[in-house]
Amino acid sequence: MTERIALFIDGANVYAAARRLGWNFDHRKILEHFRAGATLHNAFYYTAVPAHPDDKQKRFVDALTYMGYTVRTRPLREVTDEHGETQRRASLDIFLVTDLLTTADRYDTAILLTGDGDFERPVEVLRARGKRVVVASIPEMTSYELRNAADEYVDLSALRPEVERPGYRLPSEGRAEAGSRPFYVTAALTEPDER
């Protein structure tokens, strides 16, 4: 029997990983890589979108949908911290966990492209239900707890020849410090949108 898989991509985490690595991911190649030799139940992609998305953002979401992803979006919201700085945030963790758990009967292996430690407990729950869980990210962005909870860890940087989108310039290249987080997680509202 062919293994049934489901792919869950934390868009903010993958975008931040691409910025750290200095090259971009081809989401069609990611899909092809992870479903090779398996039956794909579904591929979910979670991403924040501005309240008024521009054409580039709309094309990105449309392209993901065309590739076969189920795209879950949530609008960015403004948050003011205790220092009076306003930032944009959108948490899609609950969407990912809901899909992860409610579709568990339809797959044998869940593949999570994220390094976020918040997913440690849902991963443990899946494993207790007999599911195999693979976490894929880059080491410097993967929490120890999540890596420890998973059955297998895949270093995305090692997959460059298979999943890179060559010749594609990251929208943030040259505009942020190396290692900084995506604009919708940490940037003040006074900064221009980069996606």
Side-chain angles (χ1 to χ4, degrees):
M1 187 170 108
T2 307
E3 179 185 28
R4 300 173 304 159
I5 66 160
L7 188 62
F8 302 86
I9 300 179
D10 176 349
N13 200 274
V14 169
Y15 181 76
R19 286 183 54 177
R20 279 192 184 218
L21 292 170
W23 50 270
N24 207 352
F25 295 98
D26 183 320
H27 293 291
R28 184 182 318 273
K29 290 179 181 179
I30 286 175
L31 195 57
E32 291 167 0
H33 173 79
F34 285 105
R35 76 172 170 198
T39 301
L40 180 68
H41 157 63
N42 207 337
F44 295 93
Y45 191 98
Y46 305 87
T47 187
V49 293
H52 304 289
D54 61 18
D55 286 340
K56 188 174 185 178
Q57 183 70 35
K58 288 177 188 174
R59 284 193 312 270
F60 177 67
V61 170
D62 289 347
L64 289 171
T65 303
Y66 181 76
M67 289 176 208
Y69 287 95
T70 298
V71 182
R72 304 273 196 237
T73 61
R74 188 164 184 181
L76 293 166
R77 66 180 195 278
E78 297 177 7
V79 178
T80 304
D81 66 17
E82 65 275 0
H83 304 293
E85 291 186 28
T86 303
Q87 300 178 348
R88 293 183 176 142
R89 294 196 178 167
S91 175
L92 287 121
D93 292 0
I94 193 68
F95 289 25
L96 194 152
V97 170
T98 300
D99 288 334
L100 195 62
L101 298 176
T102 60
T103 63
D105 291 340
R106 298 187 181 115
Y107 61 80
D108 305 308
T109 299
I111 301 168
L112 280 73
L113 270 68
T114 187
D116 190 338
D118 291 343
F119 298 113
E120 175 193 11
R121 186 66 186 132
V123 166
E124 292 172 343
V125 169
L126 284 174
R127 290 188 65 202
R129 293 182 179 176
K131 302 299 175 183
R132 183 169 172 266
V133 180
V134 176
V135 169
S137 188
I138 58 174
E140 61 269 28
M141 289 183 58
T142 306
S143 80
Y144 170 80
E145 294 79 13
L146 180 62
R147 190 170 178 164
N148 189 51
D151 290 290
E152 182 182 346
Y153 178 75
V154 175
D155 182 349
L156 288 176
S157 62
L159 300 180
R160 184 175 187 171
E162 298 168 41
V163 300
E164 181 181 11
R165 184 173 179 187
Y168 183 79
R169 183 178 161 270
L170 286 169
S172 59
E173 279 184 4
R175 287 184 253 169
E177 290 180 39
S180 65
R181 297 190 52 132
F183 81 93
Y184 49 83
V185 176
T186 60
L189 285 177
T190 57
E191 296 179 13
D193 290 350
E194 296 178 347
R195 285 185 74 180

